[in-house]
Amino acid sequence: MASISVDKGAFTRRMRKLYDSWKEPSDASLGKCDAIVVAVGVDEEIVYAKSTALQTWLFGYELTDTVMVLCESQIYFLASKKKIEFLKQVASDKENVNGIPPITLLTREKGSDNKANFSKLTGAIKESKKGKCIGIFSKDNFPGDFMESWRKALEQEGYEKTDISAAIAYIMSVKEDSEVTMVKKASAISCDVFNKYLREQIMEAVDMDKRVRHSKLADGVEKSLEDKKVVGNIDASTLEVCYPAIIQSGGNYNLKFSVVSDDNKLHFGAVTCALGIRYKSYCSNVVRTLLVDPTQEQQDNYNLLLELEDVVAQKLQHGVKLNQVYQAVVSAVKSKKPGLVDKLTKNVGFVTGIEFREGSLVLNAKSEAKAKKGMVFNINIGFSNLENKDFKDSGGKKYALFVGDTFLVNEGSNATVLTTSKKKIKHIGIFLKEDDSDDNEANEDAEEILGRGMRRAVLESKLRTEISAEDKRKKHQSDLTKQLNEDAKTRLAMAKGEQPKAKPKKSNVSYKHSSLMPREPEVRELKIYVDKKYETIILPVFGIATPFHISTIKNISQSVEGDYTYLRINFYHPGSTIGKTDNQFSQPVSTFVKELTYRSSNVKAPGEPSAPSSNLNTAFRLIKDVQKKFKTREAEEREKEGIVKQDTLLINPNRGNPKLKDLYIRPNIAQKRIQGAIEAHVNGFRFTSVRGDKVDILYNNIKHAIFQPCDSEMIILIHFHLKNAILFSNKKHVDVQFYTEVGEITTDLHKHHNIHDRDDLAAEQAERELRHRLKSAFKNFIDKVENITKGEIEFEVPFRELGFHGAPFRSNVMLQPTSSCLVNVTEWPPFLNTLDEIELVHFERVQFHIRNFDMVFVFKDYTKKTSMVNAVPMSSLDQVKDWLNSCDIKYTEGVQSLNWTKIMKTILEDTEGFFEQGGWNFLEPQSEDEGDDDDDDEDDAYQPSDGMSDPDGGSESEYSEEIESGDESDWSGEELDSDESSGKDWDELEEEAARADRENEQLKMEEERIPDNRKRKASGSKNVAQQKKRRKR
């Protein structure tokens, strides 16, 4: 267990809370104790126990065969060697460190009775306070030799025992923020299991008239926790049911959570469904009643239940006694339907958490405990033994109604419902559509022949009027359209005037005064001289040595022509950089030198050490070197311009920090990839390579943290998308990821492979084990980081089921949505778009005869360049639309590709005018009022320019109408002459084909004789082509 880490901060807080409550007890049983003894054994039949709950609350794990003794000034643990290694993470010998006593660890002796250890523990109990009374959990009696010997050791000492279960439960009932987060996730999963699985199964059974057993439905609930379509990308190992799901119908109802679903078949009346999901040891619960063809009285009774649940939510606040909440519910029933008071459940809820039901904190008439902010309650209200006189079937005459949700107690406001599954009558009612008996005679005759159709349930999801998915999307998109332009106007109005103007770049000065000019002989001799210190080139111009800074030189070239060498120097000047502004010049109206050319002889004069052109050769080389250094330094400065100064990373010296080893970093620190380790500290991560390079990423600079598992991938990685760029390797980076490979990315195709080859089988098995090991290590690291950051960093996992292929860069990759963005992080460079920053998505080239389409992402920041994903398969169009619609993102589509650079430039030039003219409505397809003729759709795709259009609308339009009418007649003729419509035999088809061949030969002969008449024979050739098609068939 040494590899498993414990949240030391949570342990310290909760242990301190326990000791503070012990020193100033609100419960008499806790104040009476001189020591607290907690012993946990092994019993697979026990699901919930106060001892294991306390261990989970303190450590996050259950420690079997472990004894914990809390004394006034010392804490003792007696456990096996592996568990002691785990507990060393929280052990401390210092006095009252972090407000808790020092911790002593005792190791169990295998094969012995542990008398020495027991004597140490009993001696510590005697020294704690009076040493007479110990607090225990009276209901927890674990079997086993170790537990029996421990209980005998306590009995021999003759301690007085008192049950502290209620007191400890009250301490643990107030949840911390991290615990509330766990309960919220558990509640969301409970709702998903009910909505996506259980309710659908019951509705399908009613709809198809299936007789399904209650026990089978209950078993399916537990199996659904492994279905990613139901629970998403939640790790199935962190999920379990709080209790076997309870489904009851047909008059047999027991509104308790201790019952088990029977083997009776589902009755189509009132069906009560109760299920609870446990996520990382924290429980949640949801209860619903599905009503098939409910009467008005049933609907009224059910609506009363919903009102009672609202009464509980209003009354259940910080400081309110639990029995007062119950009395408020009873009073509400008496005021509205007094006859139902006797049929109301004896309690309306209880505290939940690590244990599903806390028996000492129940909402009934006797409980005097007070609710506190942070408590989580399972509110469950029901009516039993109700009668439905209108139901003819005996199984439906008696029914029950049961509704339950998970609530969080607040201070000064109503309790918050955490299970948000819909529960109004229109959402849980299943209304059957029976055949009408007053049909006309024709329908009656048809029914006598065909028989009565099976009854169909008109489900809420179908809205009783079979609306297609496309219609639902269009309705939602129309609502989004109304808000889109208004939100954009408001956002741009608030941001107006905030953008600073670009400042002109200051020109580099070579020398501030003439005294700094070099006094070298080359300068006096009017030769070209390169001053490396001041990055200046001194050139002779009209007999004067003139300095030019290296930044003014655009490029240089050297050429040899005959006996002369030419050196040409081109300078920057206004207009030299096409497409860029000239604001880099501080005085753009001045006179500029465009170029200078120098010529020197290659002929060596007698007595000279070298030819005159050697100066040009040396100058060319030196100018190139200085220019290269200057550009490199400027590039580094540009990289540093957008860098925001980060806080200093606070190193945690504790060795138990979350850490992952043997990882690679992207982008690479050096030219070759280097392994290293990433470690989480107080306020950020630090990656340290094997050669000592360090990269720090602070928690407050992380915008998105993505965990990409190795499922169907060759690498497993953690990706960070940052708010502000960081600088390493002399470049700034917004995306940084740490990954490792889980298999061979390349395969030798020449190698002979045999399916029964032992080496191959062993390699596959080793790869599977490696994948599992790496996945566990990464998940363990992520869980630790989320715990120590208290939710500041929350890793998102891409939903592969919602993914689609596309090419955001050069290669085609799988794009996968997460809860807040659309990503592909397995290929480099990564692709990541934040959903909250997207204004709209436009689909380009959406046509049925094209296999792919393009997606354009327009961001709310119009100065940001649009993002495009090319080559998305047309088969993914509906899936992408559904996903965008569920994210409340507006989308449009068109058949053409647009020039988005010009569009965004036009919008930025006159934003107000753009929205006054309708804003983004120009991307919407044309309305039906603009044209009723469907045949004009193809013509609308092409709009001729003003110069091409005919102002008189003369013969060209008439000619086009003739062509269109000819096309329509040809098309209709082809359709009528098809094999399927006419039913001609083979002889007739052969005669037609021979006739078509003769006509084709005759046309060719006419074309040879009269070549000028080709245009008039175009329509005839079309008919021939059509007949050729028929002949081929």
Side-chain angles (χ1 to χ4, degrees):
M1 296 187 65
S3 60
I4 302 175
S5 65
V6 62
D7 188 349
K8 190 173 181 180
F11 169 81
T12 304
R13 287 193 310 274
R14 294 168 188 176
M15 186 63 80
R16 189 191 307 124
K17 182 180 179 181
L18 181 58
Y19 266 88
D20 291 343
S21 301
W22 187 13
K23 292 176 183 177
E24 298 178 1
S26 58
D27 188 282
S29 61
L30 188 61
K32 185 180 178 181
C33 297
D34 297 321
I36 298 174
V37 177
V38 180
V40 177
V42 180
D43 190 351
E44 295 181 356
E45 295 182 359
I46 297 177
V47 180
Y48 300 108
K50 198 67 65 186
S51 304
T52 56
L54 181 60
Q55 284 186 348
T56 305
W57 186 61
L58 292 173
F59 307 108
Y61 300 95
E62 293 182 8
L63 306 177
T64 56
D65 287 335
T66 301
V67 175
M68 178 175 68
V69 178
L70 306 182
C71 301
E72 184 181 17
S73 57
Q74 192 80 19
I75 300 175
Y76 290 89
F77 288 98
L78 174 60
S80 63
K81 186 177 180 180
K82 289 184 178 180
K83 296 183 179 67
I84 291 299
E85 290 295 325
F86 170 77
L87 292 170
K88 282 182 180 180
Q89 300 177 66
V90 298
S92 176
D93 298 332
K94 297 180 181 179
E95 186 70 24
N96 290 328
V97 63
N98 297 319
I100 61 175
I103 299 173
T104 302
L105 304 178
L106 302 176
T107 305
R108 281 179 53 197
E109 300 171 0
K110 289 186 178 181
S112 64
D113 53 4
N114 289 281
K115 286 185 178 181
N117 290 324
F118 290 162
S119 63
K120 290 180 182 179
L121 295 179
T122 53
I125 294 173
K126 291 178 181 179
E127 295 176 0
S128 177
K129 292 187 178 182
K130 298 179 181 179
K132 296 181 180 179
C133 181
I134 59 173
I136 62 169
F137 302 129
S138 58
K139 292 184 178 179
D140 295 355
N141 291 310
F142 290 91
D145 296 338
F146 178 66
M147 289 292 106
E148 289 293 338
S149 58
W150 170 242
R151 281 193 288 268
K152 288 180 181 178
L154 292 177
E155 290 174 0
Q156 289 175 1
E157 299 295 334
Y159 295 121
E160 180 185 352
K161 298 178 181 178
T162 181
D163 188 12
I164 58 171
S165 300
I168 298 298
Y170 197 72
I171 296 170
M172 294 193 298
S173 63
V174 179
K175 306 293 187 294
E176 297 178 352
D177 292 341
S178 59
E179 294 178 285
V180 172
T181 301
M182 299 295 181
V183 176
K184 286 182 178 179
K185 287 186 178 180
S187 301
I189 297 168
S190 294
C191 293
D192 288 340
V193 172
F194 175 76
N195 293 330
K196 297 179 182 179
Y197 177 77
L198 184 56
R199 187 179 68 171
E200 293 299 320
Q201 291 291 319
I202 294 175
M203 285 187 167
E204 182 182 354
V206 176
D207 192 29
M208 304 300 293
D209 202 8
K210 293 181 180 178
R211 297 293 176 176
V212 187
R213 296 186 185 277
H214 297 154
S215 55
K216 185 177 181 181
L217 290 171
D219 294 339
V221 170
E222 189 168 359
K223 293 178 182 178
S224 68
L225 298 182
E226 299 177 359
D227 188 355
K228 289 189 176 182
K229 293 181 180 178
V230 177
V231 299
N233 278 342
I234 304 293
D235 185 5
S237 63
T238 62
L239 300 176
E240 59 181 326
V241 292
C242 299
Y243 56 90
I246 303 170
I247 292 92
Q248 301 177 94
S249 65
N252 298 322
Y253 300 96
N254 187 350
L255 305 186
K256 294 181 180 179
F257 296 102
S258 57
V259 299
V260 180
S261 299
D262 55 31
D263 290 332
N264 294 333
K265 293 184 177 179
L266 189 68
H267 183 270
F268 300 155
V271 183
T272 61
C273 308
L275 64 91
I277 303 300
R278 203 178 187 199
Y279 174 70
K280 291 185 177 179
S281 302
Y282 285 87
C283 299
S284 65
N285 192 51
V286 63
V287 181
R288 294 290 182 267
T289 301
L290 301 180
L291 298 174
V292 182
D293 266 346
T295 63
Q296 188 59 46
E297 183 183 3
Q298 286 179 315
Q299 295 183 38
D300 294 340
N301 292 338
Y302 183 82
N303 289 330
L304 176 60
L305 269 187
L306 300 184
E307 293 177 12
L308 296 179
E309 195 179 52
D310 292 338
V311 170
V312 174
Q314 294 172 6
K315 190 69 176 177
L316 189 60
Q317 297 184 20
H318 178 78
V320 178
K321 290 185 177 181
L322 303 187
N323 56 7
Q324 294 178 356
V325 179
Y326 181 79
Q327 291 299 331
V329 173
V330 175
S331 300
V333 178
K334 288 181 178 179
S335 62
K336 296 186 177 180
K337 287 194 174 184
L340 296 179
V341 173
D342 296 337
K343 304 185 183 298
L344 184 68
T345 50
K346 300 303 179 183
N347 67 75
V348 295
F350 46 82
V351 165
T352 189
I354 298 175
E355 289 187 283
F356 176 70
R357 184 180 188 274
E358 179 47 58
S360 61
L361 297 172
V362 181
L363 294 171
N364 57 19
K366 298 179 181 179
S367 181
E368 293 289 335
K370 291 183 179 180
K372 283 190 175 183
K373 179 184 177 183
M375 285 185 174
V376 177
F377 279 83
N378 275 339
I379 305 302
N380 310 291
I381 310 174
F383 294 129
S384 57
N385 295 323
L386 299 174
E387 292 187 4
N388 182 10
K389 299 178 181 178
D390 298 335
F391 212 94
K392 299 178 181 179
D393 187 0
S394 59
K397 288 185 177 180
K398 283 189 177 182
Y399 71 95
L401 300 175
F402 204 17
V403 174
D405 285 292
T406 307
F407 282 83
L408 174 66
V409 178
N410 300 315
E411 186 175 3
S413 60
N414 296 349
T416 304
V417 61
L418 303 181
T419 46
T420 56
S421 177
K422 297 178 180 179
K423 52 181 176 285
K424 292 185 178 180
I425 192 68
K426 64 180 181 180
H427 301 130
I428 57 90
I430 304 176
F431 298 91
L432 297 178
K433 183 179 180 182
E434 298 289 350
D435 296 324
D436 296 333
S437 58
D438 297 333
D439 292 341
N440 54 36
E441 295 180 358
N443 290 338
E444 290 178 357
D445 295 339
E447 284 185 357
E448 290 177 2
I449 297 172
L450 301 175
R452 279 186 173 271
M454 182 176 57
R455 64 180 183 177
R456 305 293 292 177
V458 183
L459 306 181
E460 182 267 335
S461 60
K462 297 182 180 179
L463 299 179
R464 302 188 184 182
T465 54
E466 200 65 33
I467 300 177
S468 66
E470 181 65 23
D471 293 335
K472 291 180 182 179
R473 288 199 300 261
K474 286 182 178 179
K475 185 178 183 303
H476 189 213
Q477 288 295 312
S478 64
D479 296 337
L480 293 175
T481 305
K482 298 175 183 177
Q483 300 177 359
L484 181 64
N485 292 334
E486 295 178 1
D487 294 345
K489 281 183 185 179
T490 306
R491 186 177 65 254
L492 293 173
M494 294 174 62
K496 189 176 181 181
E498 292 182 0
Q499 298 178 353
K501 295 182 179 179
K503 296 181 180 180
K505 185 179 179 181
K506 294 182 180 180
S507 61
N508 291 310
V509 179
S510 298
Y511 306 106
K512 294 183 179 180
H513 46 83
S514 59
S515 63
L516 297 176
M517 283 277 290
R519 307 299 179 185
E520 303 296 331
E522 288 89 344
V523 178
R524 290 195 301 270
E525 295 173 3
L526 296 180
K527 294 182 179 180
I528 298 176
Y529 179 76
V530 179
D531 188 355
K532 294 183 178 180
K533 180 180 179 181
Y534 290 97
E535 296 178 330
T536 298
I537 316 299
I538 299 177
L539 303 173
V541 180
F542 298 117
I544 301 173
T546 308
F548 292 88
H549 194 271
I550 194 67
S551 63
T552 62
I553 297 176
K554 185 177 181 181
N555 53 52
I556 61 173
S557 62
Q558 185 183 24
S559 61
V560 178
E561 296 180 7
D563 295 337
Y564 294 95
T565 296
Y566 292 87
L567 181 65
R568 181 178 179 180
I569 304 175
N570 295 319
F571 296 92
Y572 285 108
H573 59 85
S576 62
T577 52
I578 300 174
K580 297 182 180 180
T581 58
D582 294 331
N583 60 356
Q584 59 179 332
F585 301 99
S586 58
Q587 298 176 351
V589 296
S590 302
T591 302
F592 288 81
V593 177
K594 184 177 181 181
E595 66 176 75
L596 290 174
T597 303
Y598 293 90
R599 186 185 74 170
S600 183
S601 175
N602 296 331
V603 179
K604 178 183 175 183
E608 294 292 331
S610 60
S613 61
S614 61
N615 177 255
L616 294 186
N617 295 331
T618 304
F620 177 78
R621 179 176 53 80
L622 293 176
I623 291 172
K624 281 287 187 182
D625 292 342
V626 174
Q627 196 176 38
K628 182 179 180 181
K629 292 180 181 178
F630 176 76
K631 289 182 177 179
T632 303
R633 193 180 75 252
E634 264 204 337
E636 292 177 359
E637 291 177 355
R638 281 196 302 270
E639 289 290 335
K640 294 179 181 179
E641 279 181 1
I643 299 298
V644 177
K645 187 177 180 181
Q646 303 293 320
D647 298 332
T648 304
L649 181 69
L650 301 177
I651 303 297
N652 189 352
N654 187 7
R655 293 184 178 180
N657 293 335
K659 189 173 184 178
L660 280 176
K661 298 180 180 179
D662 300 330
L663 300 182
Y664 299 104
I665 183 174
R666 284 200 292 199
N668 295 331
I669 298 177
Q671 292 182 352
K672 295 182 179 180
R673 62 178 190 172
I674 302 174
Q675 279 190 337
I678 183 173
E679 187 173 5
H681 292 280
V682 177
N683 64 336
F685 298 98
R686 167 165 285 183
F687 175 80
T688 307
S689 69
V690 291
R691 71 175 193 180
D693 303 294
K694 291 181 174 61
V695 177
D696 296 339
I697 301 174
L698 301 184
Y699 298 147
N700 57 10
N701 192 33
I702 296 175
K703 188 175 183 180
H704 297 292
I706 310 294
F707 168 52
Q708 177 67 61
C710 52
D711 301 331
S712 304
E713 300 288 351
M714 297 305 296
I715 61 174
I716 183 170
L717 61 89
I718 292 174
H719 183 95
F720 297 114
H721 182 71
L722 308 179
K723 299 175 184 176
N724 301 306
I726 60 174
L727 187 71
F728 62 89
S729 301
N730 294 326
K731 291 184 180 180
K732 57 183 179 182
H733 305 283
V734 179
D735 291 283
V736 184
Q737 68 178 222
F738 307 95
Y739 72 98
T740 186
E741 297 174 357
V742 295
E744 294 183 1
I745 296 180
T746 59
T747 304
D748 185 5
L749 298 178
H750 296 286
K751 181 182 177 182
H752 177 69
H753 292 276
N754 188 350
I755 191 172
H756 300 295
D757 191 350
R758 292 185 178 181
D759 293 339
D760 289 347
L761 294 175
E764 291 178 4
Q765 180 63 24
E767 183 177 330
R768 282 193 293 269
E769 293 175 356
L770 176 63
R771 285 176 180 271
H772 179 71
R773 188 166 63 253
L774 287 174
K775 195 173 180 181
S776 300
F778 271 75
K779 284 187 176 180
N780 190 23
F781 174 80
I782 289 170
D783 291 340
K784 293 177 187 176
V785 171
E786 290 180 345
N787 287 333
I788 65 174
T789 59
K790 299 179 183 178
E792 181 182 359
I793 301 298
E794 185 171 355
F795 286 85
E796 304 176 50
V797 180
F799 299 106
R800 191 172 185 87
E801 294 79 7
L802 300 178
F804 55 92
H805 286 86
F809 302 108
R810 292 184 178 180
S811 58
N812 195 292
V813 297
M814 168 74 85
L815 302 173
Q816 303 175 62
T818 69
S819 57
S820 63
C821 48
L822 176 67
V823 301
N824 172 264
V825 292
T826 55
E827 299 285 339
W828 198 264
F831 174 82
L832 191 147
N833 279 346
T834 305
L835 301 182
D836 292 339
E837 296 177 357
I838 296 175
E839 177 91 332
L840 63 88
V841 177
H842 181 69
F843 304 128
E844 294 182 343
R845 302 189 304 112
V846 179
Q847 301 182 55
F848 291 108
H849 62 278
I850 299 179
R851 299 172 64 180
N852 300 321
F853 67 94
D854 302 332
M855 291 178 65
V856 180
F857 296 87
V858 181
F859 299 99
K860 294 178 180 178
D861 181 6
Y862 292 165
T863 59
K864 189 176 179 181
K865 186 180 178 182
T866 57
S867 175
M868 176 175 285
V869 176
N870 299 313
V872 182
M874 192 65 70
S875 58
S876 302
L877 181 60
D878 287 338
Q879 175 188 344
V880 175
K881 285 182 177 180
D882 286 334
W883 167 64
L884 291 173
N885 198 53
S886 65
C887 297
D888 294 334
I889 295 177
K890 172 67 180 172
Y891 65 81
T892 56
E893 62 181 73
V895 297
Q896 296 177 332
S897 297
L898 304 177
N899 189 337
W900 286 98
T901 304
K902 291 185 177 180
I903 289 175
M904 300 310 296
K905 184 179 179 181
T906 305
I907 294 173
L908 289 172
E909 288 175 353
D910 185 12
T911 307
E912 295 180 358
F914 171 72
F915 287 107
E916 287 177 0
Q917 296 176 4
W920 295 107
N921 292 336
F922 80 95
L923 294 174
E924 295 284 353
Q926 296 181 354
S927 60
E928 297 179 358
D929 298 336
E930 293 179 8
D932 297 328
D933 190 5
D934 296 334
D935 298 333
D936 295 335
D937 292 342
E938 296 180 0
D939 297 336
D940 293 340
Y942 172 71
Q943 298 293 339
S945 62
D946 295 338
M948 295 176 62
S949 61
D950 186 7
D952 298 329
S955 59
E956 287 186 8
S957 61
E958 295 175 0
Y959 175 75
S960 63
E961 289 177 2
E962 292 176 1
I963 295 298
E964 289 180 3
S965 63
D967 290 344
E968 291 178 1
S969 63
D970 293 342
W971 177 84
S972 61
E974 181 184 359
E975 184 182 28
L976 292 174
D977 290 342
S978 65
D979 301 346
E980 297 176 0
S981 60
S982 60
K984 297 178 181 179
D985 57 16
W986 287 105
D987 294 336
E988 293 176 341
L989 292 174
E990 288 177 356
E991 290 178 4
E992 289 182 359
R995 192 184 309 115
D997 290 338
R998 289 194 297 270
E999 291 177 359
N1000 189 20
E1001 292 177 0
Q1002 186 177 358
L1003 286 172
K1004 288 182 179 179
M1005 293 173 63
E1006 291 179 358
E1007 286 179 356
E1008 292 175 357
R1009 279 181 286 171
I1010 312 175
D1012 296 334
N1013 293 338
R1014 290 178 181 175
K1015 293 183 180 179
R1016 285 179 291 175
K1017 295 177 182 177
S1019 60
S1021 63
K1022 186 181 293 185
N1023 293 332
V1024 172
Q1026 292 171 356
Q1027 293 189 14
K1028 277 186 177 181
K1029 291 180 181 178
R1030 291 196 295 270
R1031 184 183 63 182
K1032 288 180 180 180
R1033 296 198 202 104

